[in-house]
Amino acid sequence: MNYSDFFEYEETVDRSLKSDKLLEYIKKYNIPNNDVIMYLAFSSCIAAAATRNNTRKMIHGKAPVNATCNQISSILSEYIFDKVDYFPSALDDYNAQFHGFDRLAGDHTNPYMISQQQFQDYLNGANTGEPQENIEEYLKVMALSNKASKILTVFRDYNTNQSLDIAHSINKKNYRSGNSRRFSTQKRDYIETYDMISALSNKPQENGVPLKVNFLNTYLKYIRKELTEEELKDSTEYKDMMTLFSKNNPNNCYINPASLYKNLSFNFSIDSLYLTKNLYFKKAVKEYSELSKTKKAYRYRITKSHDENIGETIGGNCYSSNIHFMIQGYNAPFSIHQDPNVIADLEKKYGISIEEGRILPPFTAVVPYKHTRGQRNGIGFIHMNRIKRLHPNSKEAKISEFSNNMQFYVKGITPISNEDLELENFEKNNLEIPDEELPTPNVDDDADAPSI
């Protein structure tokens, strides 16, 4: 899948190279100058490991839902989104769509605009001062995990391109020197080799832990300067991984140990974030099924639709079925692609029937955001008192109609009559991230909880 619509290689790498945080990481860790991909691979591992551990505590009842979800949102923001300056530029693009409401707001602040601080408050659970239902917390983590996994997918691809560039350079050098040795310069060969090593190294060893996890943990110790380069190369995990690669490189790809670490690190993080997305999606559906039986039911709605631009699956992670959660007070629905078989199983499990329908906001949202009470009042005031002056087909009129009636803005409605495994995966094969690498938790650590 091409994510260039919201993410450009060179611009993002350039922003990351200029980051003060990168300079801090280079001084503190074994990260080469200008190796922004190593920096992001290391940072993403911290985020993925912390997300799994916080989720594990919540599952076992050792941490409340709201504190856990706010902690995860803050971690994903600090360790992935902030590293590439994602939200500031994305929010600028988002706000540019609503400048037409400046004059409609009169002497008041345009209620459609979202400031950096307002969005950060939302991520931290501090923007409304109102009680949050669990479904809102679950969906926030679901959406952020989904978005973060896509960003890391871009950098994993960038790492593959870097390996190709190195192979081209070596081949040219060998040609000039008369050396006949050549490495593959076909990107497909590198993708297949990386995927093969990732899959083979993910099989549990005699101790029950995959080689991938042992290798990543050992390499992380080297990055944190707990091991020297000599100690790293002399470790069993490093040697076993290099042996695995040498025996499973049929296309003669040039992949150095650092590039292999970065690819496996991104794979671990992406897989963990997809697991997180799916777990919190299922929890949100369960919450919806319970809320639909209460007097709060009018605030929530779920629909499903088929994305005709996507085949049945892309890379095993992206599905053609779209699920849309609409919650009163939010700027846009929470929409993700999901396995249609999972959807059908959840409908059966919870005795619900998700209606068919597409949600088409007349603007592009960064991620769903819950407007503050003041913003909601301002949006409602404009809709009731100002919007009638506009042509009904104007951009502002369409946005206003959607914002005030999102739960009924569904196109094409026609009535229609292995969570256990995922929970188990949160229990094992995590990375060993020291507490000092992480933000201060919002909840107390239980003495018996696994450490990271």
Side-chain angles (χ1 to χ4, degrees):
M1 177 175 284
N2 183 5
Y3 298 108
S4 60
D5 288 343
F6 69 90
F7 224 74
E8 292 295 337
Y9 280 162
E10 300 305 327
E11 179 185 348
T12 303
V13 172
D14 184 60
R15 286 201 303 263
S16 300
L17 284 172
K18 295 176 181 177
S19 166
D20 292 337
K21 194 70 174 178
L22 174 58
L23 298 177
E24 177 186 328
Y25 271 44
I26 290 173
K27 290 179 181 178
K28 185 176 180 180
Y29 302 112
N30 277 323
I31 296 178
N33 287 329
N34 298 331
D35 192 347
V36 68
I37 305 301
M38 178 68 81
Y39 156 67
L40 290 164
F42 172 61
S43 187
S44 71
C45 264
I46 295 175
T51 295
R52 290 164 69 108
N53 281 336
N54 277 276
T55 298
R56 183 190 297 114
K57 292 177 184 179
M58 183 188 72
I59 289 171
H60 290 306
K62 296 177 180 178
V65 171
N66 64 335
T68 298
C69 292
N70 290 334
Q71 179 71 4
I72 291 174
S73 297
S74 296
I75 289 171
L76 293 177
S77 177
E78 179 176 354
Y79 285 85
I80 296 180
F81 294 110
D82 290 355
K83 293 293 180 288
V84 295
D85 197 30
Y86 177 75
F87 285 128
S89 58
L91 282 175
D92 286 343
D93 292 339
Y94 173 83
N95 286 330
Q97 302 171 98
F98 301 96
H99 286 312
F101 288 92
D102 288 344
R103 58 185 176 83
L104 297 173
D107 296 332
H108 301 283
T109 302
N110 183 340
Y112 283 92
M113 297 295 184
I114 304 174
S115 69
Q116 300 293 335
Q117 187 59 55
Q118 285 173 325
F119 194 78
Q120 195 61 48
D121 287 345
Y122 164 70
L123 293 179
N124 297 333
N127 83 320
T128 64
E130 304 171 76
Q132 298 285 95
E133 296 286 351
N134 286 347
I135 189 173
E136 298 177 68
E137 303 288 5
Y138 294 148
L139 290 173
K140 179 169 66 174
V141 172
M142 179 197 75
L144 291 173
S145 299
N146 190 47
K147 182 76 72 175
S149 68
K150 289 176 170 57
I151 290 175
L152 298 185
T153 299
V154 168
F155 281 106
R156 181 180 61 184
D157 187 63
Y158 193 90
N159 179 61
T160 302
N161 288 340
Q162 285 185 321
S163 295
L164 277 169
D165 290 342
I166 295 173
H168 276 289
S169 178
I170 292 175
N171 286 349
K172 288 181 181 179
K173 182 178 179 181
N174 286 346
Y175 175 78
R176 289 193 298 266
S177 66
N179 188 331
S180 61
R181 187 177 186 185
R182 299 289 185 273
F183 293 102
S184 170
T185 55
Q186 297 298 314
K187 186 172 183 178
R188 180 172 59 185
D189 291 344
Y190 283 79
I191 293 174
E192 289 177 354
T193 302
Y194 275 131
D195 288 347
M196 183 190 308
I197 299 302
S198 181
L200 291 173
S201 65
N202 207 39
K203 297 178 180 179
Q205 298 178 293
E206 292 182 1
N207 63 356
V209 180
L211 173 59
K212 179 195 290 187
V213 173
N214 284 330
F215 174 73
L216 290 176
N217 274 322
T218 301
Y219 211 103
L220 283 170
K221 291 178 182 177
Y222 163 69
I223 294 177
R224 294 197 301 263
K225 298 184 177 180
E226 297 171 11
L227 295 178
T228 64
E229 185 175 358
E230 292 74 19
E231 289 172 326
L232 168 68
K233 292 181 177 180
D234 195 46
S235 68
T236 301
E237 296 81 11
Y238 183 94
K239 291 178 179 178
D240 288 348
M241 184 59 74
M242 295 306 105
T243 299
L244 182 69
F245 169 65
S246 65
K247 291 181 177 179
N248 295 277
N249 185 20
N251 299 313
N252 193 32
C253 297
Y254 181 84
I255 299 176
N256 60 37
S259 295
L260 188 57
Y261 160 74
K262 287 182 278 190
N263 178 271
L264 293 174
S265 179
F266 283 129
N267 274 342
F268 171 85
S269 301
I270 291 167
D271 288 347
S272 291
L273 291 171
Y274 272 121
L275 179 64
T276 300
K277 180 199 80 169
N278 288 331
L279 180 71
Y280 284 82
F281 162 75
K282 291 178 180 180
K283 286 188 170 295
V285 172
K286 180 181 179 181
E287 286 293 311
Y288 170 80
S289 70
E290 296 174 356
L291 287 167
S292 63
K293 301 170 186 175
T294 70
K295 62 182 180 180
K296 300 177 182 178
Y298 71 94
R299 300 178 186 174
Y300 310 95
R301 190 175 188 180
I302 304 180
T303 66
K304 60 185 178 183
S305 62
H306 179 76
D307 191 336
E308 297 179 353
N309 296 318
I310 297 179
E312 279 308 305
T313 64
I314 294 182
N317 287 319
C318 190
Y319 294 89
S320 58
S321 290
N322 249 327
I323 289 288
H324 315 276
F325 292 85
M326 290 148 287
I327 302 180
Q328 188 180 61
Y330 281 76
N331 66 331
F334 293 84
S335 297
I336 63 164
H337 290 94
Q338 188 53 268
D339 184 344
N341 294 321
V342 170
I343 297 170
D345 289 344
L346 291 174
E347 287 179 299
K348 181 178 179 181
K349 181 176 181 179
Y350 298 119
I352 59 175
S353 181
I354 300 176
E355 59 189 336
E356 297 276 358
R358 294 178 299 141
I359 307 301
L360 299 173
F363 54 85
T364 301
V366 183
V367 293
Y369 162 82
K370 187 173 186 177
H371 286 120
T372 64
R373 188 183 298 276
Q375 286 174 308
R376 297 200 300 270
N377 289 340
I379 289 170
F381 175 80
I382 289 176
H383 185 67
M384 295 299 295
N385 297 283
R386 304 288 175 83
I387 211 70
K388 59 186 178 182
R389 305 175 189 173
L390 303 178
H391 190 280
N393 290 325
S394 67
K395 177 181 178 180
E396 288 73 24
K398 291 181 179 179
I399 291 175
S400 182
E401 180 66 26
F402 177 86
S403 299
N404 285 273
N405 300 281
M406 183 172 65
Q407 284 133 296
F408 308 100
Y409 208 89
V410 182
K411 303 297 183 182
I413 288 293
T414 54
I416 61 169
S417 39
N418 205 328
E419 190 169 354
D420 291 337
L421 177 59
E422 289 176 341
L423 293 177
E424 180 182 342
N425 284 336
F426 271 98
E427 301 292 340
K428 61 184 180 181
N429 299 339
N430 203 14
L431 301 186
E432 300 166 1
I433 309 297
D435 289 338
E436 60 266 23
E437 303 287 0
L438 302 170
T440 302
N442 291 332
V443 296
D444 292 332
D445 287 332
D446 188 284
D448 297 327
S451 61
I452 49 178

